[in-house]
């Protein structure tokens, strides 16, 4: 008998029929004698609908109320799934994040899980019930409802698996595993049988939304056995996320191409080049809890330089506002920015031991006539900022250039 945490995403619970389908799968695992904790997302499109509704009331919805509302999507699906299970003769009970209780910090809309009180779940499991938990939500110390950021149900799943020391955490979604890139953009993409935590971490942070980055962090930290599978297929081994040392040494150099369109670029022009300037610019941005991603400072001419960085598009306007007084204070020439950028990244642990990856990437983009606006690299990735319009052709060209396309 194993203790298994399964998480089903929005499209997997997108209709009553699909929820019944999930119930049948859960019932099959239960019938094999396993203990099951099931985490579900809101039905497909529901979270977007709720967000749009909130924006009809307030341009910037008040964070506490926003979370009260966003969390309702998942509350519907936990009840529906529990009903579907009972209809199949499987004992089940649903819980909201607050009931479980999943304790988070108070950073509304992007809260972090701090602890999970698993006593209630264990009692239900011992009594033979399937426990159904709402993804994406928790409560802070004061009992306020919080949410974990888009895609946060993955993190609920993995955090529960860690807290319960589950034998496996299975993430069921609408693709049958982690691919070399998003199969919706590149039909030739290949499913990876395994991917290392490190690579998955990079891919998730660089935009592959198949797993929320925090779920991968949790899995790495608590050594959760994590697998991505399709909820639409009966069989299939999906993709197992492994630790690097488990892998054989015959590493391919590149495992995938990730991309995202969620960032915006900001450039401060004519910045006096003196010590402390980066701090003067980015300090106030960080203080406002805005994450800065890529940063580029140009060579200075006559003591002046341009300073560029990217932030999430949701934070773009807020960042520009924060910078207004800063620009005046440091006597820079001005600020310009754009929301029409995309970031494309080449990821692979094998990059460490293979030279020439960067030059292959740059040559490929040159041949496609794609202009590179920013570059950043780490040991296992190269990220490039380009015009959003050219993103798909860049992803396809790089996927092919690194030999990732499926053999025809
Ligand atoms: P869920 O609602 O189940 O959480 P998501 O939409 O969040 O599903 O994530 C699954 C989607 O992630 C897929 O439909 C696919 O388009 C996208 N995706 C992006 N990159 C990858 C990748 N490398 N491998 C697989 N899927 C990917
Ligand atoms: N329903 C939430 C979202 O759409 C959480 C999730 O699906 O993981 O982002
Ligand atoms: Mg998701």
């Amino acid at each position: 008998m194993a203790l298994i945490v399964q998480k089903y995403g929005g499209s997997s619970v997108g209709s009553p029929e699909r929820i019944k389908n999930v119930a049948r799968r859960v019932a099959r695992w239960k019938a094999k004698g396993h203990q099951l904790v099931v985490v579900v997302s809101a039905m497909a499109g529901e979270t977007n609908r709720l967000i749009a509704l909130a924006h009809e009331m307030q341009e910037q919805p008040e964070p506490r109320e926003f979370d009260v509302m966003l969390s309702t999507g998942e509350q519907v699906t936990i009840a529906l799934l529990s009903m579907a299970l009972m209809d199949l003769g499987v004992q089940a009970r649903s819980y909201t994040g607050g009931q479980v209780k999943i304790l988070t910090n108070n950073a509304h809309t992007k809260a972090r899980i701090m602890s999970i009180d698993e006593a209630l779940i264990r009692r239900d499991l011992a009594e033979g019930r399937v426990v159904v938990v709402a993804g994406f939500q928790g409560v802070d110390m004061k009992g306020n409802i919080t949410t974990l950021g888009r895609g946060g149900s993955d993190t609920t799943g993995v955090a529960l698996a860690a807290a319960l020391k589950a034998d496996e955490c299975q993430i069921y979604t609408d693709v049958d595993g982690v691919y070399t890139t998003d199969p919706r953009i590149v039909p030739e993409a290949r499913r990876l049988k395994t991917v290392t935590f490190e690579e998955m971490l990079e891919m998730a942070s660089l935009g592959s939304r198949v797993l929320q980055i925090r779920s991968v962090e949790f899995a790495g930290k608590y050594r959760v056995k994590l697998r991505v599978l399709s909820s639409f297929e009966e069989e299939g081994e999906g993709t197992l996320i492994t630790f690097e040392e488990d892998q054989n040494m015959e590493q391919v150099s590149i495992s995938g191409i990730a991309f995202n369109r969620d960032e915006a670029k900001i450039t401060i022009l004519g910045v006096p080049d003196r010590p402390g300037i980066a701090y003067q610019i980015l300090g106030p941005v960080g203080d406002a809890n805005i994450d800065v991603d890529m940063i580029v400072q140009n060579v200075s001419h006559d003591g002046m330089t341009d300073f560029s960085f990217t932030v999430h598009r949701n934070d773009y306007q807020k960042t520009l506002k924060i910078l207004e007084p800063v620009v005046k204070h440091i006597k820079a020439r001005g600020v310009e920015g754009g929301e029409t950028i995309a970031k494309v990244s080449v990821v692979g642990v094998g990059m460490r031991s293979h030279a020439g990856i960067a030059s292959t990437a740059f040559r490929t983009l040159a041949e496609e006539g794609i202009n590179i606006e920013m570059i950043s690299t780490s040991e296992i990735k190269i990220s490039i900022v380009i015009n959003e319009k050219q993103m798909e052709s860049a992803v396809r060209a790089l996927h092919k250039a690194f030999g990732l396309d499926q053999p025809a």
Side-chain angles (χ1 to χ4, degrees), residues 223-280:
R223 294 239 155 195
V224 175
K225 188 173 176 196
L226 182 61
R227 197 183 284 280
V228 177
L229 300 139
S230 165
S231 68
F232 299 128
E233 288 172 13
E234 291 298 312
E235 302 277 317
E237 54 175 16
T239 300
L240 182 67
I241 323 295
T242 60
F243 292 92
E244 200 176 344
E245 58 265 37
D246 301 342
Q247 293 238 323
N248 67 33
M249 298 306 285
E250 287 292 313
Q251 273 290 333
V252 287
S253 57
I254 300 302
S255 54
I257 314 288
F259 54 84
N260 90 46
R261 275 176 279 222
D262 301 336
E263 290 183 27
K265 180 177 153 185
I266 293 172
T267 301
I268 307 190
L269 302 158
V271 177
D273 195 7
R274 56 168 191 259
I277 212 76
Y279 176 66
Q280 277 183 296

Side-chain angles (χ1 to χ4, degrees), residues 113-188:
I113 296 178
M114 302 197 306
S115 67
I116 296 181
D117 177 5
E118 86 274 32
L120 209 64
I121 298 180
R122 290 213 189 272
R123 201 161 56 228
D124 277 325
L125 290 175
E127 288 170 8
R129 290 191 194 94
V130 169
V131 178
V132 182
V133 180
F136 177 56
Q137 54 178 265
V139 281
D140 71 7
M141 296 271 264
K142 293 184 178 157
N144 297 303
I145 296 173
T146 54
T147 64
L148 310 178
R150 298 307 304 268
S153 299
D154 297 332
T155 303
T156 307
V158 178
L160 275 169
L164 293 162
K165 298 189 179 56
D167 296 284
E168 183 163 324
C169 180
Q170 303 171 342
I171 305 285
Y172 286 94
T173 183
D174 56 1
V175 282
D176 64 347
V178 178
Y179 276 67
T180 46
T181 192
D182 189 340
R184 289 180 207 276
I185 302 291
V186 183
E188 293 81 15

Side-chain angles (χ1 to χ4, degrees), residues 367-392:
E367 282 166 6
E368 292 289 311
I370 295 171
N371 184 44
I372 299 173
E373 296 182 25
M374 292 169 107
I375 300 170
S376 85
T377 62
S378 78
E379 260 197 308
I380 69 163
K381 72 117 201 279
I382 302 166
S383 293
I384 296 155
V385 169
I386 57 174
N387 188 311
E388 180 183 47
K389 285 204 185 93
Q390 294 172 307
M391 188 195 81
E392 293 195 7

